[in-house]
């Protein structure tokens, strides 16, 4: 296809596709899907080889969020039967982090529910970051705590944080349809604060809430403009007890097209396959490794993922390799730019906090996105509620974590 040849050439040159080209990727047929994956895979290998970075989530504080994000199991008024607990102590968080590091994770993502941290919360998380870094040599730490106030990003960086995550989730034009307690601009401002403080910025999206192709392209182009080092792509996990609990709008094929479009628009950025991959990609997860260069190991914030060993086996069986701690994730031109700004390890960024109330790794979403109908919807009999398992192990419990 001329389209795919053009997109590969642009990706190898770090040239932005046109909106029309990005939309055309999402409009390709299932017969063309393997060609799309192969084309985007060439761009992925150009900048990241066959390496897969592993990230591990630690949910520092679960549930009871005052925000009303429609996709989130921890939202105000959520009836989802999730774990609810207050802040983990630093040693508890460090123990949880160590399980992920032992499983091969290079980065630990510290997430807490809520609108945003108080200064006391920043002090608490700073102590946790210092404890994790002392007990796990070489580990990268990303914080995901919600909307930041002035000076808070600088304090996190001083404590040793390498990155900060805050997702845009969906397009600006539809954001107000999924959340009323904060704005799209609030999210942009927080990503900007993190970047300006010298933290590696991480910001992504959530797909599967009934959004249009235009919405998806809008948010990915907006992310490209913000220039984060990492772009996590979440797929909505429809939790019973949330407003989007019955939204099953994704097929494995559509998920792969969304990931391919994101790779073409963000060719040299760490694209992370985040929440919802097990639910929506299912047996086609290995194909996604040709598009993304980063995944989460084990469980998410309030839902369970596949076994950590299964993740490792999948990576090996697909012909990829786990990225080692001594390897810089990002291409040299991006890593050098971060180093020049004095941004810690500069190896990429965290995940997605959409389910913890500010945007999450649960594959949370952005709400109904203005009521647009999805261009292709999974038939009702493809709703896989059996794959939505509430997390009952790891942080906040007495059971061993999945890593």
């Amino acid at each position: 296809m001329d389209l795919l040849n053009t997109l590969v050439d642009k990706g190898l040159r770090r040239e932005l596709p046109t909106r029309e080209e990005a939309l055309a990727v999402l409009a390709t047929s299932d017969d063309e899907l393997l060609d799309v994956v192969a084309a985007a895979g060439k761009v992925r290998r150009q900048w990241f080889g066959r390496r897969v970075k592993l990230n591990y989530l630690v949910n520092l504080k679960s549930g009871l969020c005052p925000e009303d994000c429609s996709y989130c199991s921890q939202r105000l008024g959520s009836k989802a039967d999730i774990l609810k607990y207050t802040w983990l102590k630093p040693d508890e968080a460090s123990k949880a982090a160590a399980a992920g590091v032992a499983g091969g994770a290079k980065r630990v993502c510290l997430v807490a529910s809520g609108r945003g941290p108080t200064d006391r919360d920043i002090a608490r998380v700073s102590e946790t970051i210092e404890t994790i870094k002392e007990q796990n040599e070489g580990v990268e730490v990303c914080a995901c705590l919600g909307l930041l106030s002035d000076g808070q990003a600088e304090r996190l960086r001083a404590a040793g944080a390498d990155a900060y995550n805050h997702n845009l989730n969906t397009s600006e034009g539809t954001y107000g349809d999924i959340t009323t307690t904060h704005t799209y601009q609030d999210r942009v401002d927080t990503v900007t604060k993190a970047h300006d403080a010298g933290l590696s910025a991480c910001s992504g999206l959530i797909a599967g809430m009934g959004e249009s192709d235009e919405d998806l392209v809008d948010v990915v182009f907006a992310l490209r403009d913000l220039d984060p080092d990492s772009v996590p792509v979440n797929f909505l996990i429809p939790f019973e007890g949330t407003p989007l609990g019955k939204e099953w709008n994704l097929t494995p094929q559509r998920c792969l097209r969304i990931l391919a479009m994101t790779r073409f628009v963000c060719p040299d950025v760490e694209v992370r396959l985040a929440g919802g991959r097990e639910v929506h990609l299912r047996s086609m997860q290995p194909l996604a490794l040709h598009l993304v260069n980063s995944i989460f190991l084990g469980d998410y914030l309030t839902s369970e993922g596949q076994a950590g060993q299964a993740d490792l086996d999948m990576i090996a069986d697909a012909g990829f390799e786990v990225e080692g701690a001594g390897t810089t994730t990002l291409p040299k031109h991006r890593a050098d730019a971060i180093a020049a700004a004095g941004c810690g390890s500069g190896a990429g960024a965290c995940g997605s906090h959409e389910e913890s109330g500010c945007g999450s790794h649960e594959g949370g979403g952005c709400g109904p996105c203005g009521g647009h109908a999805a261009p292709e919807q999974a038939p009702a009999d493809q709703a896989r509620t059996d794959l939505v398992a509430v997390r009952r192990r790891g942080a906040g419990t007495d059971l061993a974590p999945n890593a």
Side-chain angles (χ1 to χ4, degrees):
M1 295 173 64
D2 289 342
L3 168 68
L4 296 179
N5 290 333
T6 297
L7 288 170
V8 170
D9 288 343
K10 287 186 173 183
L12 299 183
R13 299 194 306 267
R14 293 189 290 139
E15 181 180 338
L16 186 66
T18 66
R19 283 183 53 83
E20 291 71 23
E21 288 166 344
L23 286 166
V25 173
L26 296 178
T28 52
S29 69
D30 287 351
D31 288 342
E32 299 165 315
L33 182 61
L34 288 181
D35 293 330
V36 172
V37 172
K42 291 179 181 178
V43 179
R44 179 249 201 268
R45 289 192 300 277
Q46 164 73 15
W47 300 112
F48 299 97
R50 302 189 71 84
R51 294 176 284 112
V52 178
K53 180 177 182 177
L54 297 182
N55 309 266
Y56 190 71
L57 280 167
V58 177
N59 194 352
L60 296 179
K61 180 169 75 77
S62 182
L64 307 175
C65 182
E67 303 297 285
D68 66 357
C69 306
S70 299
Y71 51 78
C72 183
S73 65
Q74 303 182 80
R75 74 188 297 272
L76 178 69
S78 171
K79 294 180 173 57
D81 185 25
I82 61 168
L83 290 171
K84 298 181 178 67
Y85 53 85
T86 190
W87 291 94
L88 297 181
K89 293 181 173 61
D91 59 336
E92 293 173 325
S94 183
K95 182 179 179 181
V101 173
K106 180 175 180 178
R107 169 157 294 190
V108 172
C109 305
L110 303 177
V111 188
S113 63
R115 177 179 177 84
T118 64
D119 286 342
R120 181 181 179 186
D121 293 335
I122 292 292
R124 188 195 326 260
V125 175
S126 294
E127 183 181 354
T128 298
I129 293 170
E130 291 165 355
T131 301
I132 289 173
K133 291 240 171 180
E134 287 172 1
Q135 298 179 4
N136 299 274
E137 184 178 357
V139 70
E140 301 168 10
V141 176
C142 177
C144 183
L145 310 173
L147 301 173
L148 292 175
S149 301
D150 290 344
Q152 291 183 328
E154 287 79 2
R155 291 177 61 190
L156 290 170
R157 182 187 169 201
D162 299 287
Y164 195 84
N165 164 255
H166 199 60
N167 294 331
L168 296 187
N169 292 334
T170 193
S171 65
E172 181 176 11
T174 58
Y175 193 83
D177 296 314
I178 61 156
T179 303
T180 66
T181 47
H182 62 267
T183 67
Y184 178 91
Q185 188 59 46
D186 289 334
R187 288 184 173 268
V188 171
D189 291 346
T190 284
V191 177
T192 302
K193 282 184 172 72
H195 186 273
D196 290 348
L199 291 167
S200 179
C202 172
S203 188
L205 65 141
I206 308 168
M209 302 172 293
E211 67 279 342
S212 67
D213 285 0
E214 288 76 10
D215 292 324
L216 288 169
V217 170
D218 281 349
V219 68
V220 175
F221 271 63
L223 288 165
R224 172 71 181 244
D225 288 342
L226 275 178
D227 197 30
D229 297 312
S230 176
V231 174
V233 180
N234 293 276
F235 299 111
L236 174 71
I237 298 179
F239 271 88
E240 291 187 15
T242 65
L244 298 183
K246 298 188 183 301
E247 291 288 325
W248 290 86
N249 299 320
L250 295 170
T251 63
Q253 294 82 3
R254 179 157 176 80
C255 291
L256 289 171
R257 280 189 280 271
I258 292 168
L259 292 170
M261 184 270 288
T262 304
R263 172 57 71 197
F264 285 129
V265 177
C266 304
D268 61 337
V269 168
E270 179 187 348
V271 176
R272 181 174 302 117
L273 180 55
R277 65 177 164 97
E278 299 90 344
V279 176
H280 296 293
L281 280 164
R282 301 188 289 276
S283 62
M284 294 178 74
Q285 287 183 73
L287 274 181
L289 295 177
H290 293 272
L291 307 171
V292 305
N293 62 293
S294 181
I295 67 171
F296 283 103
L297 176 73
D299 293 335
Y300 303 97
L301 295 179
T302 63
S303 68
E304 293 186 353
Q306 68 184 19
Q309 187 59 52
D311 290 335
L312 299 176
D313 291 343
M314 176 181 71
I315 291 169
D317 291 346
F320 293 85
E321 60 184 18
V322 173
E323 183 174 290
T327 303
T328 300
T329 299
L330 294 173
K332 187 176 186 302
H333 61 274
R334 294 194 71 95
D336 287 349
I338 295 173
C343 170
S345 65
C350 172
S352 50
H353 165 186
E354 301 326 87
E355 218 192 61
S356 59
C358 94
S360 158
H361 293 309
E362 297 309 61
C366 303
C369 292
H372 295 295
E376 61 176 306
Q377 290 192 337
D381 61 0
Q382 286 188 16
R384 291 298 304 273
T385 55
D386 60 306
L387 294 179
V388 180
V390 174
R391 181 174 68 84
R392 302 295 187 197
R393 60 196 175 195
T397 77
D398 294 328
L399 300 178
N402 172 27

